[in-house]
Amino acid sequence: MLHGMTSEPEQQIGVGTQDAFQRLWTPHRMAYIQGENKPSGPGADDGCPFCSIPAKSDEDGLVVRRGEQVYAVLNLYPYNGGHLMTVPYRHVADYTDLTAAETAELAELTKQAMTALRTASGAHGFNIGMNQGSVAGAGIAAHLHQHIVPRWGGDTNFMPVVGHTKVLPQLLADTRKMLAEAWPAV
């Protein structure tokens, strides 16, 4: 147990009915909940984070690999540690609007991301996909991006199911560095 923490619920007067739950506060998630870094409209100049990331350093933008048409970047709000996205540089919303070169490089960087994640963290499997349109669950629908989420046997536990909280064991900057070093040579 951490210093100062107990397994017994604390008595707090005036805050509602006491329960047996401990609280894990994650105030950094409030930025996501409140829509921070979400574009204000569908255009590339409407605050699209996927359009601004390539202008940053790899470290500041959490970019793991840059290709000619597409780049790989860590998800700022990951489902699991190592959650990457492959993103075309061009501001395009629909998969059918990609050029042949963009489609090919998106697929190639996805394969490379899987290899890097297996090498760096021993991923057992992956969830790979994209949500097309806000009604399909795309958080940033105006700029296409494909998710590569590494999975391990037993990686789902009570925290996300009961507590609606993900526990990530590594800082994003450290994950970015580890994956960039494990990225396969082309």
Side-chain angles (χ1 to χ4, degrees), residues 5-185:
M5 293 192 62
T6 68
S7 60
E8 298 298 318
E10 293 181 27
Q11 177 65 34
Q12 296 179 348
I13 307 300
V15 296
T17 306
Q18 179 178 344
D19 60 30
F21 291 101
Q22 294 289 327
R23 303 308 193 259
L24 177 61
W25 301 105
T26 57
H28 65 280
R29 299 271 310 149
M30 190 54 75
Y32 177 76
I33 292 166
Q34 292 177 336
E36 187 175 302
N37 295 325
K38 260 197 149 167
S40 59
D45 295 330
D46 292 330
C48 177
F50 295 133
C51 288
S52 64
I53 288 170
K56 299 178 181 183
S57 70
D58 289 354
E59 292 77 13
D60 290 342
L62 298 174
V63 175
V64 179
R65 177 61 111 208
R66 294 176 190 261
E68 290 181 26
Q69 309 283 325
V70 177
Y71 65 95
V73 63
L74 283 177
N75 190 319
L76 194 54
Y77 306 104
Y79 298 131
N80 268 349
H83 178 171
L84 289 165
M85 294 175 292
T86 48
V87 184
Y89 291 109
R90 189 167 62 97
H91 187 84
V92 59
D94 198 87
Y95 186 71
T96 61
D97 292 333
L98 291 177
T99 66
E102 288 168 331
T103 303
E105 192 167 69
L106 187 88
E108 185 58 34
L109 282 183
T110 299
K111 288 171 49 177
Q112 292 173 13
M114 292 171 66
T115 299
L117 285 160
R118 283 186 180 124
T119 299
S121 63
H124 298 153
F126 299 90
N127 292 118
I128 297 173
M130 58 182 80
N131 302 320
Q132 292 284 270
S134 57
V135 298
I140 300 175
H143 197 133
L144 178 113
H145 54 285
Q146 178 165 262
H147 295 267
I148 301 115
V149 182
R151 301 299 306 267
W152 297 269
D155 68 2
T156 300
N157 58 34
F158 74 95
M159 290 298 288
V161 174
V162 175
H164 297 107
T165 301
K166 283 283 187 175
V167 178
L168 301 167
Q170 189 174 46
L171 296 174
L172 291 174
D174 296 337
T175 302
R176 191 215 67 79
K177 185 176 187 287
M178 177 185 72
L179 290 174
E181 290 171 355
W183 205 270

